[in-house]
């Protein structure tokens, strides 16, 4: 029961609102890459996103086997199931460390924490990594108790698979080393653990080597400060503010007095985030989702503290009689009281849970962008994505872009082995734009800020040509995405000849090496024709 109940609750919480609507950027990457062939996925991993390679292959199998018509719900189901498994594993850890009551509370705490529900409904690898870490921690305890060389094989296998799902899960080895030090295991246990950990690190080294060359994928991360640390602490609580948050911190402090649970929970809670934040002061790598698996430590520590408090309450004298903790009625009363408190906590924070189930709570909603394009664009209209990552909307939801022309795309994503395709060179793009009198621009708000200076010369060419040769006729905004219709300037509006040359050719006088109109139209890729092959970015 203490394992099954948290799993059932987590499954219900995960399924609630799972069909919230459109995918956001990273989810669409999973969706598109997972539908490629295995050779195409393998080619992609050599150039970009190798850190998610095993997850993409896993999702490729999931979408191929479970879905005739893959959609957002199918994409997110593996994360829901992984979160349910994690809740059960956290409960099993609590039972093993402190008894049935603490195990039940720990599993339920994990299930009702809003951060858990958030990532349980996301088509990315983080919920699966959390399940792997919780399973590896349970196997660590079993291997310590068994004290045989054979017992470390399951532990090493699970840790290796978890690290291949996301390489930053390797930090759990540091947490497990701290646990072994705190419980003072004998030398033979250290020897067995050391061999397993060494094998994991050796297996992971090729992935680390390849991913270092792809570090541009996380170039957007910034150095974390105290605000990020505070945010993480609040998100690890079943309630981010108010009485629930402060009560959780108090129970964590009490839980530190429980030797064995604290020896497992505290390193899991502190070591991976602490190491990652420290490293990120030099090279930013921290994001709370990369250490989602540490949340299990918070749930275990709070439950252990609650178990210690209930033990004290059970020894209080009432009317001269001593009520024993071991009594059946007392145990039942304390267990029911704890579950009731957790239920009240969950109900009190329902608005937070509802917010996490809103598509607006994600960074973007690509389905909305596609719907806006469908309403405004006409068949045959050229479209330009600024920056090129905006092509995700067309790749994830091609219906809105089916009849328009992606004027910058040169080669589709699967064929080029990239996340969102290969675009034309600056010169080619100028020639293509010279052949049209109107173009729709799908842009992120920051990309239209005059202060934004993209490092990519293709992106700079897009902005330059639009500013110098076109003017805005229409603008539509939805959820932070701007859809603009740009039309070519009238001859009177073109900058005079005494203005310094910008290298931009006018519509009436193309450059000497310009291609013919037929050649230009042949180069332009139609989104509708390539949508079955093109897969987005990440």
């Amino acid at each position: 029961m203490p394992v099954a109940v948290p799993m059932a609750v987590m499954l219900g919480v995960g399924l609630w609102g799972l069909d919230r609507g459109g995918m956001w950027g990273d989810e669409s990457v999973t969706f598109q890459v997972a539908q490629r062939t295995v050779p195409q996925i393998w080619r992609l991993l050599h150039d970009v996103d190798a850190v998610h390679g095993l997850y993409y292959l896993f999702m490729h199998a999931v979408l191929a086997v479970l879905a005739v018509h893959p959609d957002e719900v199918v994409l997110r189901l593996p994360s829901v199931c992984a979160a349910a498994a994690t809740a059960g594993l956290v409960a099993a850890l609590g039972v093993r460390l402190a008894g049935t009551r603490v195990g039940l509370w720990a599993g339920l705490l994990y299930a009702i924490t809003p951060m858990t529900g958030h990532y349980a409904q996301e088509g990315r690898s983080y919920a699966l990594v959390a399940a792997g870490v919780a399973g590896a921690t349970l196997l660590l305890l079993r291997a310590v108790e068994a004290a045989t060389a054979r017992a470390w094989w399951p532990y090493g296998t699970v840790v290796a698979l978890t690290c291949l799902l996301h390489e930053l899960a390797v930090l759990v080895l540091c947490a497990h080393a701290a646990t072994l030090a705190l419980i003072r295991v004998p030398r033979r246990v250290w020897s067995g653990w050391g061999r397993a950990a060494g094998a994991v690190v050796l297996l992971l080294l090729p992935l680390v080597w390849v991913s270092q060359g792809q570090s541009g994928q996380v170039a957007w991360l910034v150095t974390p400060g105290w605000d990020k640390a505070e945010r993480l602490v609040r998100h690890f609580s079943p309630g981010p503010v108010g009485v629930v948050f402060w009560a959780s911190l108090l129970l964590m402090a009490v839980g530190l007095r429980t030797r064995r649970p604290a020896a497992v929970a505290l390193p899991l809670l502190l070591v991976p985030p602490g190491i990652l934040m420290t490293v990120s002061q030099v090279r930013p790598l921290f994001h709370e989702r990369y250490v989602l698996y540490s949340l299990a430590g918070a749930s275990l520590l709070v439950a252990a503290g609650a178990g210690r408090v209930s033990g004290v309450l059970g020894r209080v004298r009432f009317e001269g009689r001593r009520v024993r903790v071991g009594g059946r009625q007392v145990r039942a009363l304390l267990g029911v009281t704890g579950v009731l408190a957790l239920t009240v906590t969950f109900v009190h924070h329902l608005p937070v849970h509802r917010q996490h189930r809103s598509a607006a709570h994600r960074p973007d909603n690509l389905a909305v962008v596609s719907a806006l394009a469908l309403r405004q664009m006409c068949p045959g209209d050229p479209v330009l994505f600024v920056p090129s990552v905006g092509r995700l909307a067309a790749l994830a939801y091609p219906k809105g872009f089916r009849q328009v022309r992606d004027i910058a795309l040169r080669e589709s994503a699967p064929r080029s082995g990239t996340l969102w395709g290969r675009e034309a060179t600056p010169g080619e793009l100028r020639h293509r734009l010279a052949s049209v009198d109107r173009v729709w621009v799908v842009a992120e708000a920051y990309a239209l800020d005059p202060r934004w200076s993209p490092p990519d010369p293709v992106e700079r060419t897009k902005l330059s040509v639009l500013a110098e040769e076109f003017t805005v006729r229409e603008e539509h905004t939805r959820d932070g995405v701007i859809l603009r219709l740009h039309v070519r300037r009238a001859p009177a509006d073109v900058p005079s000849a005494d203005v310094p040359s910008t290298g931009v050719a006018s519509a009436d006088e193309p450059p000497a090496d310009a291609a013919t109109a037929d050649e230009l139209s042949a180069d332009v890729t139609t989104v509708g024709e390539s949508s079955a092959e093109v897969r987005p970015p990440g």
Side-chain angles (χ1 to χ4, degrees), residues 92-379:
L93 279 167
V95 170
R96 196 176 195 90
L97 294 168
T100 301
R101 187 171 62 249
V102 171
L104 175 64
W105 292 346
L108 289 175
L109 275 166
Y110 186 87
I112 68 170
T113 300
M115 184 179 181
T116 305
H118 179 95
Y119 289 104
Q121 295 195 334
E122 193 159 288
R124 294 299 275 175
S125 64
Y126 309 111
L128 278 74
V129 171
V133 167
T137 305
L138 185 60
L139 290 170
L140 174 73
L141 297 180
R142 290 182 176 178
V144 169
E145 293 174 3
T148 63
R150 183 177 297 179
W152 291 106
W153 280 101
Y155 169 78
T157 301
V158 171
V159 174
L161 289 174
T162 304
C163 292
L164 289 175
L165 280 171
H166 198 283
E167 64 185 15
L168 291 180
V170 74
L171 297 177
V172 76
L173 290 175
C174 300
H176 289 170
T179 293
L180 296 180
L182 288 172
I183 61 179
R184 299 179 181 178
V185 298
R187 182 176 297 179
R188 67 177 182 277
V189 173
W190 278 109
S191 177
W193 177 83
R195 287 194 294 270
V200 170
V201 171
L202 286 175
L203 179 65
L204 197 61
L205 282 178
L207 176 60
V208 174
W209 177 266
V210 174
S211 64
Q212 288 303 303
Q214 303 171 359
S215 57
Q217 290 293 102
V218 292
W220 55 275
L221 292 173
V222 297
T223 302
W226 288 110
D227 57 328
K228 292 289 179 70
E230 180 187 358
R231 174 187 171 92
L232 185 66
V233 171
R234 291 187 180 276
H235 284 184
F236 275 8
S237 167
V241 294
V243 175
V244 173
F245 173 69
W246 294 108
S248 297
L249 290 184
L250 180 61
L251 289 174
M252 280 187 188
V254 175
L256 294 176
R257 301 292 300 275
T258 59
R259 181 174 177 272
R260 191 169 172 82
V264 174
L266 189 63
L268 185 58
L269 172 63
L270 296 182
V271 172
I275 292 176
L276 196 57
M277 282 191 170
T278 302
V279 171
S280 295
Q281 302 306 310
V282 179
R283 181 179 180 182
L285 290 173
F286 176 81
H287 194 285
E288 64 178 27
R289 62 192 179 205
Y290 299 158
V291 291
L292 171 67
Y293 56 83
S294 289
L295 195 155
S299 300
L300 284 168
L301 207 54
V302 172
R308 188 174 178 86
V309 170
S310 68
V312 173
L313 293 176
R315 291 192 293 270
V316 174
R317 294 177 181 274
F318 296 99
E319 298 179 1
R321 290 187 172 183
R322 184 180 178 84
V323 182
R324 297 185 179 276
V325 179
R328 215 176 261 180
Q329 293 179 339
V330 175
R331 288 203 306 269
L333 178 61
L334 291 173
V336 170
T337 302
V339 172
L340 181 61
L342 292 173
T343 303
V344 171
T345 298
F346 178 74
V347 172
H348 179 68
H349 287 93
L350 271 178
V352 179
H353 287 276
R354 289 197 187 98
Q355 185 182 26
H356 281 282
R357 277 146 189 81
S358 168
H361 193 67
R362 261 60 183 185
D364 46 32
N365 186 342
L366 302 185
V368 169
V369 178
S370 180
L372 180 63
L374 181 63
R375 288 197 301 269
Q376 302 298 332
M377 296 183 188
C378 299

Side-chain angles (χ1 to χ4, degrees), residues 1-6 100 104:
M1 185 190 72
V3 174
V5 170
T100 301
L104 175 64

